[in-house]
């Protein structure tokens, strides 16, 4: 598939995508409030469903290749696509929540991670560090959509940051990558989180991309469990996932799934997002 297959949106279409993005942000906020040791991952799925219902929106995950949840909840060594169920969250767990919404045919998709209070302070400190580094790698990748010139600049920035961390040996998951998004959840182009030989498509007004690094505290090698969804690290090390959906429009970039449009996350890189509303 070539670069001509990338769906380009008008500023007005990006304004509609913002509405879906803000529903995803609302799901994140509701989960942040509700999550604590003792709740099940299914409880968090229900929190997402009630926000979607109230917004008159639907989950774009549910039914996708028969996926059974509203959201994905990935705990500790689970990298992505954890299915909500009876698992009870424990003190010190590192939990990644990947959530999506479709509204008037436009898709939103974003993920965040939290470390629950309690548990072994050493373990919790390591997990908090993994989460903050994963989030930072995401913002560095997103910043390239303003500072760089091609899709490959995103993965290069993430890769350079992660590989350059002194005293860390983190893995970058390679089998799962970011993606274009619009009238479907997964569209052209792929957005790898690592250096690639091809520099990728040129950034262009109208592109909307999901930037979603997945980092591991050990090897990036992974396997999918019997349920055909849950992806875990092969060595059992912790994994973390962060994701935002970002538009390039006529006047700049705009993080559609961040309530502040990305202002705070991008400030360290001298990038000022431009909201269209
Ligand atoms: N939202 C995920 C992504 O970031 C994909 C979820 S797969 C699903 O691309 F089956 F759960 F929908
Ligand atoms: Co995504």
């Amino acid at each position: 598939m070539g670069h001509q297959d990338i769906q380009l949106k008008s500023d007005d279409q990006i304004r509609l995508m913002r509405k879906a993005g803000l529903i995803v942000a609302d799901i994140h906020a509701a989960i942040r409030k509700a999550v604590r040791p003792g709740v099940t991952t299914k409880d968090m799925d229900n929190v997402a469903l009630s926000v979607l219902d109230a917004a008159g929106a639907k989950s774009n995950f549910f039914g996708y290749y028969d996926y059974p949840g509203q959201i994905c909840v990935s705990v500790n060594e689970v990298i992505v696509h954890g299915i909500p169920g009876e698992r009870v969250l424990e003190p010190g767990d590192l939990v990644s929540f990947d959530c999506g919404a479709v509204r008037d045919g436009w898709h939103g998709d974003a993920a965040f991670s939290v470390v629950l209070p309690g548990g072994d302070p050493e373990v919790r400190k390591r997990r908090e560090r993994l989460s903050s580094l994963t989030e930072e790698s995401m913002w560095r990748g997103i910043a390239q959509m303003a500072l760089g010139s091609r899709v490959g600049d995103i993965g290069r920035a993430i890769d350079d940051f992660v590989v350059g961390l002194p005293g860390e040996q983190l893995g970058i998951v390679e089998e799962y990558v970011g993606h274009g998004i619009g009238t479907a959840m997964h569209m052209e182009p792929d957005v790898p989180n690592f250096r690639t030989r091809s520099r990728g498509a040129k950034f262009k007004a109208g592109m909307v991309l999901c930037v979603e690094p997945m980092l591991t505290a050990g090897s990036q090698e992974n396997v999918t469990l019997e349920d055909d969804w849950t992806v875990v690290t092969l060595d059992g090390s912790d994994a973390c996932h962060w994701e935002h959906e970002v538009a390039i429009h006529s006047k700049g970039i705009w993080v559609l799934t961040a309530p502040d449009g990305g202002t705070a996350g991008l400030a360290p890189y001298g990038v000022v997002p431009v909201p269209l509303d």
Side-chain angles (χ1 to χ4, degrees):
M1 274 177 264
H3 302 165
Q4 67 279 5
D5 297 316
I6 298 173
Q7 183 182 58
L8 298 178
K9 288 83 167 166
S10 68
D11 284 358
D12 274 341
Q13 290 172 324
I14 288 169
R15 287 184 183 97
L16 293 174
M17 292 192 73
R18 170 65 163 172
K19 303 216 185 278
L22 284 179
I23 296 169
V24 178
D26 284 346
I27 298 171
H28 284 191
I31 290 173
R32 278 184 186 281
K33 259 196 181 162
V35 69
R36 59 177 64 88
V39 302
T40 67
T41 54
K42 181 73 180 175
D43 291 334
M44 300 300 96
D45 200 68
N46 288 333
V47 168
L49 185 57
S50 51
V51 174
L52 287 161
D53 282 347
K58 294 253 181 255
S59 165
N60 39 7
F61 297 13
F62 182 76
Y64 183 80
Y65 292 94
D66 292 328
Y67 183 73
Q70 304 292 320
I71 60 173
C72 301
V73 186
S74 302
V75 186
N76 298 338
E77 78 287 357
V78 181
I79 301 170
V80 275
H81 302 163
I83 301 172
E86 297 317 309
R87 180 168 183 166
V88 177
L89 296 180
E90 292 179 9
D93 275 350
L94 166 56
V95 196
S96 303
F97 294 95
D98 190 354
C99 309
V102 57
R103 179 194 176 275
D104 288 345
W106 294 100
H107 286 250
D109 178 12
F112 74 101
S113 294
V114 288
V115 180
L116 299 186
D120 180 337
E122 282 306 310
V123 172
R124 201 175 59 238
K125 226 170 76 191
R126 273 193 277 117
R127 288 176 171 164
E128 279 166 354
R129 179 158 172 79
L130 178 62
S131 182
S132 83
L133 292 173
T134 307
E135 182 182 12
E136 180 172 348
S137 77
M138 172 190 69
W139 286 114
R140 286 175 180 268
I142 292 171
Q144 286 302 313
M145 293 176 67
L147 304 172
S149 59
R150 289 176 178 269
V151 171
D153 294 333
I154 297 171
R156 188 180 40 72
I158 294 170
D159 203 329
D160 285 352
F161 170 65
V162 173
V163 170
L165 286 167
E168 306 272 355
Q169 291 285 344
L170 304 181
I172 302 175
V173 175
E174 295 186 357
E175 286 83 356
Y176 303 90
V177 296
H179 51 93
I181 186 168
T183 54
M185 177 165 57
H186 290 148
M187 305 183 86
E188 290 292 304
D190 279 356
V191 182
N193 298 305
F194 48 89
R195 260 179 199 276
T196 51
R197 274 190 51 184
S198 138
R199 298 187 56 219
K202 271 208 171 110
F203 290 134
K204 219 172 164 184
M207 281 185 179
V208 185
L209 305 178
C210 286
V211 177
E212 52 175 317
M214 282 149 263
L215 302 188
T216 62
S219 158
Q220 74 91 26
E221 288 180 289
N222 55 82
V223 285
T224 303
L225 301 185
E226 294 279 277
D227 63 17
D228 280 341
W229 283 104
T230 313
V231 180
V232 300
T233 55
L234 190 60
D235 61 9
S237 63
D238 291 326
C240 186
H241 180 206
W242 280 80
E243 172 178 21
H244 268 309
E245 173 182 327
V246 189
I248 305 177
H249 57 71
S250 61
K251 296 175 193 69
I253 71 167
W254 190 18
V255 183
L256 301 181
T257 44
D260 74 350
T263 303
L266 291 167
Y269 313 105
V271 173
V272 180
V274 185
L276 282 176
D277 43 23

